[in-house]
Amino acid sequence: MNPLIQKYLRSEYAQGKRRTIFCPGCGNGIILGYFVRAIDELKHEGRFDDSKLYIVTGIGCSGNIPVPLKYNIVRALHGRALAVATGIKLVRPDAEVVAFVGDGDLLSIGGNHFIHTIRRNAGVKVILVNNMLYGMTGGQVAPTTPMDAITHTTPYGNPEPPIDACRLAMALGATYVARWTVALSRQCIESIKELLLHRGFGLLECLSQCPVYQGRYVIGIDRPSKIMDYHLKITVLGKEPMYGDKITIGKFVDYEKPTYEEIIWSMINRVSKGGES
Amino acid sequence: MKRVTKVSVIRIDIDKYLCKGCYICVDKCPTKVFEVSDIVGDYGVFIPQAKHLDKCIGCEICELYCPDFAITIVRGDGGEV
């Protein structure tokens, strides 16, 4: 067991008595490692307090990412992770709320919560793990599946064009949007660090590999390292998000504006003072 | 930013219980340090071993990419990290 990771895991995992439940070569475990390393580096620099960290997850393989961690974890309903995260952030405005969600979780069933959380600019940090299909239930077509890709439910090719989460978030006015792949480790860690120090809503989309279903259906290679190479091949660095034959990666926007919890708490203070006088 | 001082790598441990045999470390190592061995791990796969340690440049890419945190790089003169 890696001693750096071991410090942040729950007892059974830290003693090496239990493995993570992911398939061999899954990108979710790599993202968990990046998240722990980002927290460790920020704690070394003294810029982050992890005693107030709350983690909310949706349903799916991505919901199992923070399970070995020793932080406060809430497992929300399918697609409703951001609603629960907004509630935690409103009750405790000084807490740091991170949501781990998958692409089918956030963009199909939770699409409405995604839109309205960005509209309010609630200070929730979203890490979107995009593996291009529904991995846990057996490789069905998802909103992010590329066109003409063969999946379990589209055996003759996917007739639907995919949705671009970063473009949607930018159009709605999100204050931090970035997209990287799992194979770019240093960029992912730096992006998670920026996300944790950011004030308003932040979205980091991470292209991840699912060797069992994405490898078998969408790409046609089942070796995890070859899928990582494929992700590097189809991505280009750019300033405008695009999700087609080529996928642009990079940091798209980073600015600040008043957040939902600040507005709500200033209103509560104003009204309660007015009521006393 | 934390800078790792480049002390030479003396050992690369691979946890026999945690390794699931995805072989990302075998394929992604830029100098091909790892090799699939004949030892069967607890997950039922042939676990990789760092056989060509003299070629290691200490880039830590295997430790970063390992999804199951099974790889530990031991640096320096035998002291635990």
Side-chain angles (χ1 to χ4, degrees):
Chain A
M1 174 64 85
N2 194 325
L4 193 153
I5 307 284
Q6 199 173 13
K7 284 191 290 182
Y8 294 89
L9 299 190
R10 271 167 36 201
S11 60
E12 290 159 326
Y13 293 92
Q15 289 163 11
K17 287 180 185 167
R18 194 183 278 186
R19 306 179 191 93
T20 56
I21 68 165
F22 306 124
C23 309
C26 182
N28 289 350
I30 307 180
I31 290 172
L32 175 59
Y34 293 165
F35 186 69
V36 169
R37 282 183 178 88
I39 288 179
D40 188 66
E41 287 181 18
L42 284 177
K43 274 178 79 178
H44 261 276
E45 294 162 20
R47 291 196 283 164
F48 185 70
D49 180 19
D50 68 342
S51 63
K52 285 175 184 161
L53 182 65
Y54 290 82
I55 300 176
V56 185
T57 72
I59 300 296
C61 284
S62 60
N64 292 321
I65 294 178
V67 167
L69 291 175
K70 59 174 186 183
Y71 296 117
N72 307 306
I73 296 158
V74 181
R75 184 69 78 88
L77 289 177
H78 190 17
R80 273 70 177 152
L82 293 188
V84 176
T86 309
I88 295 173
K89 189 71 184 174
L90 281 183
V91 174
R92 300 197 174 157
D94 54 344
E96 199 68 47
V97 185
V98 179
F100 278 97
V101 284
D103 55 334
D105 185 31
L106 184 75
L107 296 174
S108 70
I109 195 164
N112 234 328
H113 296 285
F114 182 58
I115 290 171
H116 291 289
T117 311
I118 301 176
R119 178 173 65 86
R120 293 171 183 141
N121 194 22
V124 177
K125 318 295 156 48
V126 180
I127 297 176
L128 167 61
V129 184
N130 182 358
N131 60 0
M132 295 181 181
L133 40 70
Y134 291 97
M136 185 177 258
T137 50
Q140 287 87 2
V141 67
T144 46
T145 309
M147 266 190 105
D148 300 328
I150 292 169
T151 66
H152 194 98
T153 45
T154 56
Y156 307 111
N158 180 20
E160 305 161 4
I163 190 174
D164 186 347
C166 289
R167 204 175 179 83
L168 178 64
M170 267 180 78
L172 291 163
T175 50
Y176 183 93
V177 178
R179 171 159 55 204
W180 298 106
T181 81
V182 161
L184 299 167
S185 48
R186 201 64 243 172
Q187 286 90 332
C188 273
I189 294 173
E190 292 296 324
S191 197
I192 293 172
K193 282 165 73 177
E194 285 176 10
L195 201 66
L196 289 173
L197 297 173
H198 190 71
R199 202 159 59 96
F201 181 89
L203 171 73
L204 165 66
E205 184 182 351
C206 220
L207 289 179
S208 164
Q209 76 266 22
C210 173
V212 179
Y213 291 113
Q214 188 195 15
R216 191 198 295 169
Y217 290 132
V218 179
I219 300 172
I221 325 158
D222 67 345
R223 191 138 173 133
S225 55
K226 296 281 189 297
I227 304 175
M228 288 164 89
D229 291 342
Y230 175 80
H231 281 320
L232 288 178
K233 206 171 76 184
I234 60 167
T235 48
V236 286
L237 197 65
K239 288 190 173 163
E240 278 291 310
M242 267 169 40
Y243 198 93
D245 295 336
K246 289 280 181 189
I247 299 172
T248 47
I249 52 173
K251 188 166 83 174
F252 301 122
V253 278
D254 189 2
Y255 69 100
E256 293 203 338
K257 65 181 184 186
T259 63
Y260 186 43
E261 64 272 9
E262 286 169 7
I263 295 168
I264 282 276
W265 277 95
S266 69
M267 184 183 285
I268 288 171
N269 291 333
R270 198 180 67 225
V271 171
S272 62
K273 267 178 203 161
E276 281 170 5
S277 62
Chain B
M1 195 178 158
K2 192 177 67 173
R3 285 265 169 228
V4 179
T5 49
K6 291 288 173 194
V7 186
S8 62
V9 177
I10 56 161
R11 200 171 77 239
I12 296 178
D13 287 344
I14 293 177
D15 197 308
K16 205 179 154 194
Y17 176 77
L18 291 173
C19 180
K20 289 178 187 164
C22 63
Y23 305 135
I24 289 179
C25 50
V26 177
D27 294 347
K28 280 286 181 179
C29 180
T31 54
K32 304 280 176 247
V33 170
F34 292 92
E35 213 171 85
V36 182
S37 69
D38 296 337
I39 307 164
V40 180
D42 290 3
Y43 199 71
V45 291
F46 293 114
I47 59 170
Q49 266 192 331
K51 285 198 174 160
H52 313 287
L53 204 58
D54 49 331
K55 287 198 276 186
C56 181
I57 54 172
C59 64
E60 298 185 351
I61 203 120
C62 48
E63 214 183 44
L64 274 171
Y65 276 161
C66 183
D68 304 298
F69 325 123
I71 299 179
T72 312
I73 296 176
V74 183
R75 289 175 181 273
D77 43 326
E80 201 51 51
V81 276

